[in-house]
Amino acid sequence: MTGGFERADAAVAADPEWADAATRRLLVLADSDSYVKWGAALASTLPATWTARLVILASPVMPSGRQLADALAGTRFTSGDVHVVHLDDLDALVDEAQPHAVLLSLRGPFVRVVAPLLQRRDDRPALLSGFPGLTIPAVPKAVIYREQTDLIVLHSRREVREFEANALDLGVDPGLGLATLPFLATGARAAVPAASDGDVVFAAQAKVPAQLEDRVRVLAALAEHARRNPERRVIVKVRARRGEAQTHREEHDYAELVEDLGPAAPPNLVVEHGPMAAKLARAGALVTVSSTAALEAVAMDLPVLLLDDFGVSPAMINTVFEGSGLFGSTHDLVAGRFRHAAPAWTADNYFHGLDGDDWTGRLDALVAAREIVPLPPIERRHDTSGGALRTAYERRRMLGDYDRDPVGTVAWTFGVAARTAVRRARRLHRWLQRPTDAATGRTGSVDGRGVLLDVPQVGGGVAADALPLRVGELTPDLAGHARDQ
């Protein structure tokens, strides 16, 4: 959103439903497009006893107007309902809105910045947090970022188990609530599967695969499938247009790679943005590496293919799908061999049934307790060294140029240098610990599988196992692009 800041407090106060004393009020604070989508969708599943308002905190990753409209599609909110506020104006907003609960639909480091501001308030609201996508394997840092919230909303029985174990190890006791992933709870299960000749949708991700040659490999397979199936569209579904922010930074944009293909791109290979639900409504299959869109497709009984050419590891954010029966290679993509999820896997992973959800009951209990006695503050227990300078650094890291605190500039200068030194030391340690393939002398992947670059290429009308992958063998343009990086 680029239209400047609006008075969200006045807009909230003017809403008669919000002012109804019999209605409980949820304020959703969001930042990036994926967290806007999740927060809006989750709030839309609340019972009629709740009303909700959505506010975006100004930061470098806040969505454009187009991204906002896409994120709100299918929810109770419209773009006109949403306002942008600066973090410095948060207290005034909460004073005016008087929410019973606040959903911090924010990236973890931003939760750690905002939660203490709300914790210090007298009669503070109940604080919720959570995740817009896959969180397996659950990492301790995810709990640490959210340790000052009363309830962490999770989306599978497996997630709850892993977060409970991490919380126990860390000596913290956040409430954990189970909610069906809201993108699956807003009508997706009632959708009719598309015909077998429907679109093949590739859900692109900013983080995986990260390397250019890996993305070229995926694109080559998509192009070859498109050539072999000229009657169906193959859609590269991207999250952002050029210049738009995302939750995670993307080094190699698929839209640019498709442009680089030039005349070599089949006419039915297209790049599109827009709500994922709209793409899946016309789809015959979904392809991805580890996107939450795979769950949306499973909910619609669409066949799915999770590409495992680059390994199954925490680094690829796909270990949660082990046992799902959805993994396959780019060879399978070319041949159109898509899969359906194993029932035993779905029961433990995201498809537990709406009757298993307990997050709204836990939220109601928190609000009821607050009506009797103010909720006690939750103290931060981890990563506390550095004091005020650390706090200023964390704020500046999230707000970027929207940070008005002059101390942030000083903290950023010192903090970046210290963080860079720590990261270099960690990279050196990991490099020294890497497994090595005894036969080739190559270093393996995170899980030790040792995914190599000289794997079979697909594309250009050549059989999938005919040639080794060399970036320059796809198109000269892409080869030049690879060298420039």
Side-chain angles (χ1 to χ4, degrees):
M1 299 180 67
T2 57
F5 303 112
E6 301 180 58
R7 283 295 305 278
D9 52 350
V12 166
D15 187 334
E17 185 182 61
W18 185 268
D20 185 349
T23 302
R24 288 180 169 175
R25 300 178 294 275
L26 176 72
L27 177 62
V28 182
L29 301 178
D31 56 352
S32 67
D33 63 325
S34 59
Y35 276 97
V36 169
K37 178 181 177 180
W38 177 73
L42 187 68
S44 297
T45 67
L46 283 168
T49 51
W50 283 85
T51 187
R53 283 292 175 266
L54 174 61
V55 169
I56 295 176
L57 292 179
S59 77
V61 301
M62 59 183 172
S64 67
R66 182 201 65 78
Q67 288 174 304
L68 178 64
D70 287 352
L72 299 179
T75 74
R76 67 194 293 175
F77 303 96
T78 67
S79 297
D81 299 327
V82 180
H83 303 271
V84 178
V85 300
H86 194 280
L87 184 61
D88 289 346
D89 300 321
L90 179 59
D91 265 334
L93 170 63
V94 177
D95 285 341
E96 185 67 39
Q98 291 295 304
H100 296 90
V102 175
L103 172 59
L104 300 178
S105 188
L106 307 165
R107 294 163 294 155
F110 211 173
V111 173
R112 186 157 64 179
V113 170
V114 178
L117 305 180
L118 298 171
Q119 285 284 348
R120 69 190 184 194
R121 296 177 59 88
D122 295 332
D123 195 20
R124 67 172 179 84
L127 301 183
L128 294 74
S129 60
F131 307 87
L134 307 171
T135 62
I136 300 294
V139 296
K141 200 72 171 179
V143 177
I144 290 172
Y145 282 142
R146 296 164 177 84
E147 65 176 331
Q148 288 184 278
T149 60
D150 300 288
L151 184 66
I152 301 176
V153 180
L154 302 169
H155 299 298
S156 77
R157 294 189 175 106
R158 182 178 174 185
E159 287 185 352
V160 171
R161 289 196 305 273
E162 293 202 13
F163 271 77
E164 282 178 340
N166 281 339
L168 182 63
D169 289 343
L170 292 166
V172 299
D173 187 26
L176 302 177
L178 181 61
T180 298
L181 196 68
F183 321 131
L184 314 183
T186 52
R189 284 190 175 90
V192 177
S196 59
D197 61 349
D199 298 338
V200 172
V201 178
F202 170 66
Q205 294 162 277
K207 294 180 70 174
V208 294
Q211 299 302 314
L212 175 61
E213 55 265 31
D214 294 339
R215 293 190 165 221
V216 168
R217 178 186 183 126
V218 172
L219 184 58
L222 292 167
E224 182 61 17
H225 182 85
R227 293 187 189 95
R228 296 187 184 189
N229 301 274
E231 75 286 353
R232 72 192 314 180
R233 295 196 311 159
V234 177
I235 300 173
V236 180
K237 188 340 193 138
V238 295
R239 293 289 300 269
R241 290 175 176 173
R242 190 174 303 159
E244 291 179 330
Q246 298 185 70
T247 303
H248 303 291
R249 185 168 177 268
E250 188 166 28
E251 290 287 345
H252 308 293
D253 179 55
Y254 277 106
E256 293 182 4
L257 296 181
V258 172
E259 286 180 7
D260 288 343
L261 281 173
N268 56 328
L269 177 67
V270 298
V271 177
E272 291 184 357
H273 50 77
M276 178 58 74
K279 305 303 177 189
L280 294 180
R282 302 189 302 270
L286 178 109
V287 182
T288 190
V289 175
S290 67
S291 173
T292 308
L295 303 178
E296 297 183 61
V298 169
M300 299 173 70
D301 200 30
L302 286 171
V304 173
L305 182 63
L306 293 166
L307 299 176
D308 62 0
D309 298 60
F310 320 109
V312 178
S313 70
M316 299 309 297
I317 326 173
N318 58 2
T319 58
V320 67
F321 291 106
E322 290 178 306
S324 68
L326 299 175
F327 282 116
S329 68
T330 46
H331 300 277
D332 294 308
L333 170 54
V334 169
R337 292 189 288 265
F338 306 108
R339 289 106 156 93
H340 286 276
W345 179 85
T346 59
D348 201 36
N349 295 275
Y350 308 104
F351 297 93
H352 50 268
L354 295 174
D355 56 345
D357 290 354
D358 64 4
W359 80 279
T360 55
R362 292 176 179 271
L363 173 59
D364 285 336
L366 282 167
V367 173
R370 177 178 178 266
E371 291 171 349
I372 299 172
V373 62
L375 295 174
I378 303 173
E379 297 299 325
R380 176 169 167 171
R381 300 180 59 184
H382 295 86
D383 297 341
T384 57
S385 61
L389 198 62
R390 183 184 191 121
T391 300
Y393 168 80
E394 291 175 347
R395 173 188 165 104
R396 176 58 181 264
R397 179 186 173 198
M398 291 293 99
L399 297 184
D401 290 341
Y402 292 95
D403 187 11
R404 298 169 179 169
D405 185 356
V407 178
T409 303
V410 178
W412 184 251
T413 301
F414 286 98
V416 167
R419 195 162 181 249
T420 299
V422 169
R423 285 185 166 183
R424 286 176 177 171
R426 287 175 177 170
R427 281 198 297 267
L428 177 61
H429 177 74
R430 285 196 299 266
W431 184 84
L432 293 172
Q433 298 297 318
R434 287 186 302 177
T436 301
D437 186 297
T440 63
R442 294 176 183 266
T443 300
S445 61
V446 170
D447 62 347
R449 289 178 55 173
V451 179
L452 309 181
L453 293 182
D454 53 343
V455 288
Q457 176 181 325
V458 289
V462 180
D465 56 355
L467 293 173
L469 177 61
R470 299 285 185 264
V471 174
E473 291 175 0
L474 183 61
T475 68
D477 289 340
L478 283 180
H481 190 103
R483 286 192 298 270
D484 289 344
Q485 303 307 306

